[in-house]
Amino acid sequence: MPERLKDLETLSRGLDPGAEDRAALWEATRAYSEGFLGALPEAPAFVLKDRPGSGLADFPISEAGRPFPQVLGTLAEHVDGVGANGASGRHLAFIPPSSLFAGALGDLLAAITNRYAAYFFAGPGAVRMENQVLGWLARELGLPEGSSGNLAAGGSMAHLVGICTAREAAGLKAADYPRACVYLSDQAHHCLVKALRVAGMCEAPVREIPTDVDFRMRPEALEAAILADLRAGLRPWLLVPTAGTTNTGAVDPLEACADLAGRHGLWLHTDGAYGASFALTGLGKAALRGLEGSDSLVLDPHKGLFAPLGLGVLLTRHLEPLRKAHAFQADYLPSPPEDLEELSPSETTLEFSKHARALRLWLPLQLHGVAAFRAALEEKLLLARYAHQRLQAMPGVDPGPVPQLSVLAFRFLPRAGDADAFNQALLQRLTAQGRVFLSGTKLNGAFHLRLAILAARTHKDQVDEALERLQSEAAKLA
Ligand SMILES: *Cc1c(COP(=O)(O)O)cnc(C)c1O
């Protein structure tokens, strides 16, 4: 046995490189990262390939390991060299991601020090950091002092936490679900219905409230639906307005929603995954009036605060149902002290063993200061207005609704032929070129192009290039 142990130790120590080996790994990683960042200004925003990434299969996980340069080469070619570039300023599709350099450093440091951020006893600093970020966000969004929540892996996960909290607050049991009505607009994100399903609440009736010409939920239609459900003996439970829809960036009438929720006893859970971060700016605050009336809300720092992918936030003013829905005690855990002033993430979500997720946002905020974030967000709002003005001035273009936040949906109107087919063909050409990456959607049944301005590296030049390419490719197609 001692012999075997010695051999095993030698082998297992290979997992933990010493300073000299680390120096080579650092240097190669730094060179890779700098190569990537240095190439970004000219790198494609999208790379269209046959069977993208399939070359990874030629590099199976091996028993012996491989030299680092070979591993990085594989990464460059088969992962970072295909599909959408999540760091490009010409990524204008869906809701674009960014990843600030400081956020990446936060992730790296969190992984190296590996602080356990689920439980105060083990990771007091990491837990306090999460709570500091949550408290700061809650204040920025106008929630009352003492509000908090959970830093989740994304908006969809944060919505699941919100739905479980709202269910707890209403005291709903399985037998109540077929009567527990949910209200959202016909523009709401699909992840809400998915979260209801995952929460085991498929039976809850979901009312899709129609929207107005600006794609905002119509409050009179909402009230009519609530009253009809009350008359039918059902129990209106959850109202989910969207503060910035994916399709057009529309903001539902949040003040009217808060009023209706208050009068009829619904939990107001606002989907601000895309839009809520704009509340850091004066312009955004005006567009998001009423957000602060939410019982709970979701925002995605991996969208609107330029964090690396994997960060969504649930905020709520009601900590009791949040804890009741998620806290647990077990024999192998130290019991929390009675007077503990810090909420532990293990009490506010399903996750238990988790990394110090806050560092990817806390570090950039500490390093750059909030003012830089406010400026970047105001820049995106103004860029959207600027792009809309340019589209308005283009002949043969329906510029679509005036952007309420930073998403535009518009379409070219060809002189002849089917407009849907024309715009789809235009989008395909741009995607194949790869310089600018846009996406499409259907509005009132008609195919529209979308320009979503939120990537940290999207500035006026990138917007100009996208508009100019759209115009010149459209001319070629016509
Ligand atoms: C992105 C988005 C979501 C889903 O969030 P993920 O972070 O992608 O899970 C929900 N609602 C809206 C409005 C979004 O833009």
Side-chain angles (χ1 to χ4, degrees), residues 117-119 150 326-328 344-352 354:
Y119 208 72
N150 181 259
H326 298 97
F328 219 87
S344 282
S346 63
E347 301 177 290
T348 60
T349 184
L350 183 68
E351 283 186 273
F352 190 57
K354 70 180 276 295

Side-chain angles (χ1 to χ4, degrees), residues 359-434:
L359 205 50
R360 47 175 42 202
L361 181 56
W362 184 88
L363 194 142
L365 286 168
Q366 291 286 0
L367 182 69
H368 300 300
V370 183
F373 286 81
R374 295 192 209 283
L377 286 163
E378 186 179 339
E379 178 195 26
K380 311 311 169 204
L381 291 172
L382 292 181
L383 280 174
R385 293 180 185 188
Y386 163 77
H388 192 258
Q389 283 166 8
R390 280 199 61 176
L391 284 168
Q392 268 179 322
M394 276 186 206
V397 172
D398 167 4
V402 176
Q404 296 169 46
L405 296 172
S406 72
V407 176
L408 295 102
F410 56 96
R411 65 199 312 244
F412 283 77
L413 302 169
R415 265 171 227 241
D418 179 51
D420 278 11
F422 183 89
N423 284 280
Q424 266 156 353
L426 180 55
L427 182 61
Q428 268 166 19
R429 282 175 85 112
L430 287 173
T431 307
Q433 278 182 0

Side-chain angles (χ1 to χ4, degrees), residues 99-109 306-308 359-361 363-364 367-368:
S99 186
L100 297 177
F101 186 60
L105 293 182
D107 260 11
L108 176 68
L109 292 170
F306 321 118
L359 205 50
R360 47 175 42 202
L361 181 56
L363 194 142
L367 182 69
H368 300 300

Side-chain angles (χ1 to χ4, degrees), residues 95 154-156 159 189 191 242 244-246 271 273-274 300 302-303:
I95 301 293
S156 304
H159 277 304
H189 197 278
C191 75
T242 305
T245 61
T246 317
D271 181 6
Y274 151 63
D300 264 355
H302 65 199
K303 292 173 178 165

